Amino acid sequence: LIPVSILFTMMTGCTPSIVRAAIMIILLQIAPLLRRERDSATALGTALLLILLANPFSITHVGLQLSFAAVAGILLCAGRIQEALMARVPFQDSKRGSPGWCARSVLRFLVSTLAATVGASVLTTPLTALYFNSVPLISLLSNLLTLWAFSLAFLGGLAVSLAGLALPALAGVLAWPVSLAVWFVQTLTAALARLPFASVST
């Protein structure tokens, strides 16, 4: 995972948000090897320290500020929000594989997505208002509706790329569901952006 993270960082141009993610992943993977607990807050702080040591002026990069604010908000709030909401969800004692367990798994995915979105928004909303003169009100709904499609498009894109190296014909077939996921995201986000009060100007 560490070499893949480094390769992905190099491929995407070493932007501050990607470097932040890569450093956090590397630290969280190394921790057990050094008999240390994985600690996301320490990884986040270390990532910021290393980035600023390399280039102190990167603190002015909007992408860096939004990336760190989003992760900090998720670490501060998302877990608590998810626990509070999941405590109200039925099917607490459902056995694995049962309909109740399946329903609870779907609800957990929706609740975790909602909690992460709210957590990230807590600290990024002031920055968004400051830099972009608007606050998106549709983000909770759009994330709930599109997160699965982003995952499919990203992971599917990797699979298609790898398949294309060995079996180009297979890659063409695999590309169809991936392209549908991308089309779904583009179409839905355009539709949601047209809704009244999707974004409020500040």
Side-chain angles (χ1 to χ4, degrees), residues 18-61:
I18 299 296
V19 173
R20 187 269 311 156
I23 292 173
M24 288 187 70
I25 289 171
I26 291 168
L27 291 175
L28 293 173
Q29 295 305 312
I30 289 176
L33 299 177
L34 301 178
R35 300 181 182 277
R36 302 285 183 178
E37 289 185 16
R38 285 178 169 155
D39 184 71
S40 298
T42 300
L44 182 66
T46 305
L48 183 58
L49 174 65
L50 294 175
I51 291 172
L52 294 182
L53 281 174
N55 179 8
F57 294 104
S58 62
I59 194 66
T60 62
H61 194 283

Side-chain angles (χ1 to χ4, degrees), residues 14 22 27 40 43 47 59 96 99 116 144 153 183 197:
C14 297
L27 291 175
S40 298
I59 194 66
R96 188 177 184 87
L144 283 173
W183 172 85
F197 302 108

Side-chain angles (χ1 to χ4, degrees), residues 100-116:
W101 179 85
C102 294
R104 184 173 173 79
S105 298
V106 172
L107 287 171
R108 178 177 291 279
F109 172 78
L110 295 175
V111 166
S112 65
T113 303
L114 178 64

